[in-house]
PDB file of all heavy atoms in Angstrom:
ATOM      1  N   LEU A  43      10.600 -24.044 -21.333  1.00  0.00           N
ATOM      2  CA  LEU A  43       9.183 -23.613 -21.446  1.00  0.00           C
ATOM      3  C   LEU A  43       8.261 -24.808 -21.179  1.00  0.00           C
ATOM      4  O   LEU A  43       7.174 -24.610 -20.706  1.00  0.00           O
ATOM      5  CB  LEU A  43       8.972 -23.073 -22.842  1.00  0.00           C
ATOM      6  CG  LEU A  43       9.209 -21.646 -23.049  1.00  0.00           C
ATOM      7  CD1 LEU A  43       8.957 -21.224 -24.451  1.00  0.00           C
ATOM      8  CD2 LEU A  43       8.391 -20.818 -22.063  1.00  0.00           C
ATOM      9  N   HIS A  44       8.724 -26.027 -21.401  1.00  0.00           N
ATOM     10  CA  HIS A  44       7.868 -27.155 -21.220  1.00  0.00           C
ATOM     11  C   HIS A  44       8.088 -27.781 -19.821  1.00  0.00           C
ATOM     12  O   HIS A  44       7.482 -28.865 -19.563  1.00  0.00           O
ATOM     13  CB  HIS A  44       8.072 -28.137 -22.380  1.00  0.00           C
ATOM     14  CG  HIS A  44       7.795 -27.552 -23.683  1.00  0.00           C
ATOM     15  ND1 HIS A  44       6.500 -27.283 -24.075  1.00  0.00           N
ATOM     16  CD2 HIS A  44       8.551 -27.170 -24.710  1.00  0.00           C
ATOM     17  CE1 HIS A  44       6.501 -26.729 -25.306  1.00  0.00           C
ATOM     18  NE2 HIS A  44       7.742 -26.634 -25.684  1.00  0.00           N
ATOM     19  N   ASN A  45       8.875 -27.221 -19.030  1.00  0.00           N
ATOM     20  CA  ASN A  45       9.079 -27.720 -17.659  1.00  0.00           C
ATOM     21  C   ASN A  45       8.031 -27.098 -16.773  1.00  0.00           C
ATOM     22  O   ASN A  45       8.227 -25.982 -16.266  1.00  0.00           O
ATOM     23  CB  ASN A  45      10.565 -27.361 -17.221  1.00  0.00           C
ATOM     24  CG  ASN A  45      10.890 -27.944 -15.890  1.00  0.00           C
ATOM     25  OD1 ASN A  45      10.017 -28.455 -15.198  1.00  0.00           O
ATOM     26  ND2 ASN A  45      12.178 -27.919 -15.555  1.00  0.00           N
ATOM     27  N   SER A  46       7.044 -27.841 -16.457  1.00  0.00           N
ATOM     28  CA  SER A  46       5.867 -27.289 -15.726  1.00  0.00           C
ATOM     29  C   SER A  46       6.314 -26.950 -14.307  1.00  0.00           C
ATOM     30  O   SER A  46       5.725 -25.985 -13.731  1.00  0.00           O
ATOM     31  CB  SER A  46       4.739 -28.300 -15.791  1.00  0.00           C
ATOM     32  OG  SER A  46       5.107 -29.476 -15.029  1.00  0.00           O
ATOM     33  N   THR A  47       7.251 -27.595 -13.715  1.00  0.00           N
ATOM     34  CA  THR A  47       7.646 -27.322 -12.350  1.00  0.00           C
ATOM     35  C   THR A  47       8.344 -25.894 -12.319  1.00  0.00           C
ATOM     36  O   THR A  47       7.957 -25.141 -11.450  1.00  0.00           O
ATOM     37  CB  THR A  47       8.748 -28.285 -11.901  1.00  0.00           C
ATOM     38  OG1 THR A  47       8.154 -29.618 -11.971  1.00  0.00           O
ATOM     39  CG2 THR A  47       9.109 -28.070 -10.470  1.00  0.00           C
ATOM     40  N   GLU A  48       9.111 -25.562 -13.251  1.00  0.00           N
ATOM     41  CA  GLU A  48       9.759 -24.210 -13.339  1.00  0.00           C
ATOM     42  C   GLU A  48       8.746 -23.188 -13.557  1.00  0.00           C
ATOM     43  O   GLU A  48       8.781 -22.099 -12.953  1.00  0.00           O
ATOM     44  CB  GLU A  48      10.867 -24.247 -14.403  1.00  0.00           C
ATOM     45  CG  GLU A  48      11.622 -22.924 -14.435  1.00  0.00           C
ATOM     46  CD  GLU A  48      12.362 -22.586 -13.141  1.00  0.00           C
ATOM     47  OE1 GLU A  48      12.777 -23.569 -12.429  1.00  0.00           O
ATOM     48  OE2 GLU A  48      12.499 -21.392 -12.825  1.00  0.00           O
ATOM     49  N   ILE A  49       7.784 -23.416 -14.460  1.00  0.00           N
ATOM     50  CA  ILE A  49       6.755 -22.512 -14.785  1.00  0.00           C
ATOM     51  C   ILE A  49       5.875 -22.150 -13.487  1.00  0.00           C
ATOM     52  O   ILE A  49       5.594 -21.086 -13.137  1.00  0.00           O
ATOM     53  CB  ILE A  49       5.943 -22.938 -15.982  1.00  0.00           C
ATOM     54  CG1 ILE A  49       6.706 -22.875 -17.173  1.00  0.00           C
ATOM     55  CG2 ILE A  49       4.681 -22.024 -16.110  1.00  0.00           C
ATOM     56  CD1 ILE A  49       5.994 -23.504 -18.420  1.00  0.00           C
ATOM     57  N   ARG A  50       5.509 -23.286 -12.827  1.00  0.00           N
ATOM     58  CA  ARG A  50       4.734 -23.193 -11.618  1.00  0.00           C
ATOM     59  C   ARG A  50       5.489 -22.391 -10.544  1.00  0.00           C
ATOM     60  O   ARG A  50       4.957 -21.545  -9.819  1.00  0.00           O
ATOM     61  CB  ARG A  50       4.366 -24.540 -11.105  1.00  0.00           C
ATOM     62  CG  ARG A  50       3.252 -24.594 -10.137  1.00  0.00           C
ATOM     63  CD  ARG A  50       2.670 -25.950  -9.890  1.00  0.00           C
ATOM     64  NE  ARG A  50       3.569 -27.058  -9.934  1.00  0.00           N
ATOM     65  CZ  ARG A  50       3.676 -28.031 -10.803  1.00  0.00           C
ATOM     66  NH1 ARG A  50       2.726 -28.060 -11.803  1.00  0.00           N
ATOM     67  NH2 ARG A  50       4.491 -29.022 -10.771  1.00  0.00           N
ATOM     68  N   ARG A  51       6.841 -22.656 -10.384  1.00  0.00           N
ATOM     69  CA  ARG A  51       7.685 -21.986  -9.482  1.00  0.00           C
ATOM     70  C   ARG A  51       7.657 -20.493  -9.760  1.00  0.00           C
ATOM     71  O   ARG A  51       7.517 -19.559  -8.873  1.00  0.00           O
ATOM     72  CB  ARG A  51       9.044 -22.553  -9.439  1.00  0.00           C
ATOM     73  CG  ARG A  51       9.979 -22.036  -8.333  1.00  0.00           C
ATOM     74  CD  ARG A  51      11.324 -22.737  -8.356  1.00  0.00           C
ATOM     75  NE  ARG A  51      11.114 -24.190  -8.044  1.00  0.00           N
ATOM     76  CZ  ARG A  51      11.740 -25.091  -8.734  1.00  0.00           C
ATOM     77  NH1 ARG A  51      12.511 -24.853  -9.712  1.00  0.00           N
ATOM     78  NH2 ARG A  51      11.564 -26.443  -8.363  1.00  0.00           N
ATOM     79  N   GLN A  52       7.855 -20.144 -11.061  1.00  0.00           N
ATOM     80  CA  GLN A  52       7.903 -18.685 -11.387  1.00  0.00           C
ATOM     81  C   GLN A  52       6.525 -17.980 -11.190  1.00  0.00           C
ATOM     82  O   GLN A  52       6.473 -16.844 -10.733  1.00  0.00           O
ATOM     83  CB  GLN A  52       8.391 -18.516 -12.790  1.00  0.00           C
ATOM     84  CG  GLN A  52       9.901 -18.458 -12.930  1.00  0.00           C
ATOM     85  CD  GLN A  52      10.336 -17.515 -13.981  1.00  0.00           C
ATOM     86  OE1 GLN A  52       9.536 -17.217 -14.938  1.00  0.00           O
ATOM     87  NE2 GLN A  52      11.575 -17.043 -13.947  1.00  0.00           N
TER      88      GLN A  52
END
Side-chain angles (χ1 to χ4, degrees):
L43 273 179
H44 300 291
N45 184 347
S46 62
T47 305
E48 184 62 30
I49 292 172
R50 200 167 32 247
R51 189 175 294 134
Q52 273 214 339

